Amino acid sequence: MPGNNNDTLLWPFILYGALVLVLLAAILTLSYILGQHHKERATHLPYEGGIQQTGSARIRFSSQFYLVAMLFVIFDVEAVFIMLWALGFYELGWAGYIAICIFIFQLIVVLVYEWGIGALDFGPDGLKILKAYKKKMKMEM
């Protein structure tokens, strides 16, 4: 009978599933029984290397942080493309060389554009800080 062969192949999976459920129940039960049951003041506070928590964990990041992160990912993926091209350098020939030169030229154009619009300027402007410092020093004299 062909139906019996399918049933005999199914019983090891059912046994395995039952064994997993029994072990899971045993581990959870033993953990509950043997575990510590105390409610102290600092039990539910997160531990960060001995530093007391202050304020909220919800801090706002500047949007430029995400812009720099995206630029990193984009240029990192492009570096992978260049590495793959280098692996197939001899098989690709002159057509591959011209294609990678165009690709790198596009990368340079995008980098110059992003530099021009200030996408890579994160942090305070150094020249403004120096001018303010010199102005302060002149006022003190």
Side-chain angles (χ1 to χ4, degrees):
M1 293 195 182
N4 289 339
N5 288 340
N6 290 337
D7 291 338
T8 58
L9 295 177
L10 191 59
W11 74 267
F13 294 115
I14 294 173
L15 180 66
Y16 177 74
L19 184 64
V20 167
L21 290 175
V22 168
L23 284 175
L24 179 67
I27 290 171
L28 289 175
T29 304
L30 283 174
S31 173
Y32 180 77
I33 292 170
L34 299 175
Q36 297 179 1
H37 300 284
H38 57 85
K39 300 272 187 199
E40 295 176 5
R41 190 170 48 135
T43 301
H44 298 293
L45 294 177
Y47 182 73
E48 294 290 332
I51 300 172
Q52 293 292 326
Q53 71 179 25
T54 58
S56 173
R58 308 275 185 220
I59 58 175
R60 293 179 182 239
F61 286 105
S62 170
S63 61
Q64 275 192 307
F65 169 77
Y66 297 106
L67 182 62
V68 170
M70 285 191 323
L71 293 175
F72 172 76
V73 170
I74 290 169
F75 281 102
D76 195 38
V77 170
E78 291 165 351
V80 170
F81 286 133
I82 293 172
M83 290 297 290
L84 290 175
W85 168 80
L87 289 174
F89 175 73
Y90 292 113
E91 290 84 12
L92 294 173
W94 282 104
Y97 181 73
I98 292 170
I100 201 67
C101 286
I102 293 170
F103 181 70
I104 291 173
F105 177 73
Q106 289 175 345
L107 289 180
I108 292 170
V109 167
V110 169
L111 184 62
V112 168
Y113 172 75
E114 289 172 349
W115 197 342
I117 65 171
L120 302 176
D121 296 334
F122 52 96
D125 186 11
L127 293 176
K128 288 181 183 177
I129 293 172
L130 284 175
K131 286 180 184 177
Y133 179 74
K134 287 179 181 178
K135 185 177 180 181
K136 179 182 175 186
M137 294 306 286
K138 284 182 183 178
M139 294 175 97
E140 288 180 358
M141 293 179 112

